[in-house]
């Protein structure tokens, strides 16, 4: 939370906030691994200065997800909850921060197997566990009515999906899916530019935009499965989803700060890579205290 509303040097402050996010993601490699995702998330949190220049934050989230295969052979819908904590250190124009996150999701999936003119249905339920950490460093270059903010960040993400089995329709093509664990490191440089406009009523308007890129150390998701009712020794097979290992992103937003310590921020983020596109918007309300 940016607590300072004087000048263009952005500074931290004590606050409580709530945010709504909505997004759409599409991956279209032209084969059976393509997918579309619609997501909505609700988040809320607080931040407090616990010592001079040190800020401690906590947040919780709840989200809804809808997945569908590019060719319509499978669909998934689910929910997820998460908690996170952050620690920030403000040193003049520098802001150094770290954060940790834990997420849990539960999902219901439906899949079709088409053999000739026959279609077989399979249903399943599964869970996901996510552990993530982030380190970030940013430097603020304030000018008279605008600013530059170069920053870099590193994410460490571990996701685990326990094994599960399909069923529900007595399909001979039901699968037993093995546990899957995925670990990746994401690194990326970014540059933000913004401006400040003092409005006649005493409030402040801050438009801003940012560009950047992110590299992922592990861009594949490997799922191993076997036919549930296959004879012993029949073996298993793997499906590999290979996402781009580089993604470019752009952010556009505007923040309005009232005299009575209320902030509203509206933002858009677009992410693009090879056969990959994502659009997301968010609305955030915060109260400074």
């Amino acid at each position: 939370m940016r607590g300072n509303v004087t000048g263009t040097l952005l500074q931290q402050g004590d606050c409580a906030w709530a945010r709504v996010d909505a997004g759409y993601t599409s991956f279209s490699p032209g084969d059976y691994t393509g997918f579309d995702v619609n997501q909505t998330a609700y988040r809320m949190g607080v931040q407090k200065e616990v010592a001079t220049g040190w800020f401690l934050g906590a947040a919780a989230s709840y989200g809804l997800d809808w997945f569908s295969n590019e060719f319509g052979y499978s669909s998934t819908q689910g929910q997820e909850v998460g908690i996170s904590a952050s620690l920030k250190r403000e040193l003049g124009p520098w802001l150094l921060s770290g954060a940790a996150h834990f997420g849990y999701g539960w999902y219901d999936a439906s899949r079709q197997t088409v053999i000739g003119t026959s279609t077989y249905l399979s249903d399943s339920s599964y869970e996901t566990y996510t552990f993530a950490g982030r380190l970030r460093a940013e430097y603020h270059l304030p000018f008279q009515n605008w600013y530059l903010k170069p920053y870099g960040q590193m994410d460490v993400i571990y996701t685990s999906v326990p094994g599960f089995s399909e069923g529900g329709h007595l399909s001979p093509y039901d699968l037993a899916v093995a546990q899957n664990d995925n670990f990746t490191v994401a690194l990326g440089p970014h540059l933000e530019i913004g401006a400040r406009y003092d409005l006649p009523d005493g409030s402040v308007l801050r438009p801003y935009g940012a560009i950047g890129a992110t590299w992922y150390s592990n861009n594949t998701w490997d799922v191993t499965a076997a036919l549930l009712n296959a004879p012993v020794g029949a073996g298993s097979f793997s499906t590999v989803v290979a996402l781009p290992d580089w993604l470019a992103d752009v952010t556009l937003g505007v923040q309005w700060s009232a005299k009575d310590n209320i902030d509203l921020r509206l933002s858009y983020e677009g992410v693009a890579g090879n056969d990959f596109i994502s659009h997301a918007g968010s609305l955030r309300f915060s109260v400074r205290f």
Side-chain angles (χ1 to χ4, degrees), residues 102-189:
F102 169 72
Y104 168 72
W106 59 101
Y107 302 88
D108 295 316
S110 178
R111 184 177 62 85
Q112 299 180 19
T113 302
V114 179
I115 305 295
T117 59
S118 299
T119 299
Y120 302 89
L121 300 178
S122 299
D123 294 335
S124 62
S125 296
Y126 63 92
E127 302 171 318
T128 64
Y129 299 86
T130 302
F131 302 87
R134 168 173 289 182
L135 295 175
R136 173 167 165 155
E138 53 188 72
Y139 187 80
H140 301 265
L141 296 166
F143 300 94
Q144 183 175 359
N145 294 309
W146 63 287
Y147 69 90
L148 287 174
K149 185 181 74 175
Y151 64 93
Q153 60 191 33
M154 179 181 73
D155 295 328
V156 178
I157 307 165
Y158 169 75
T159 302
S160 179
V161 182
F164 62 94
S165 297
E166 295 180 319
H169 300 278
L170 300 179
S171 168
Y173 300 101
D174 287 345
L175 299 177
V177 181
Q179 176 169 325
N180 183 272
D181 300 295
N182 184 277
F183 176 82
T184 188
V185 175
L187 298 169

Side-chain angles (χ1 to χ4, degrees), residues 53-71:
W54 290 91
F55 297 86
L56 185 64
S61 63
Y62 170 75
L64 300 169
D65 305 315
W66 298 268
F67 302 81
S68 62
N69 175 265
E70 184 178 4
F71 299 113

Side-chain angles (χ1 to χ4, degrees), residues 246-249 270-274 276-278:
W246 277 97
L247 292 174
D249 59 82
V271 180
N274 188 31
F276 182 97
I277 190 72
S278 178

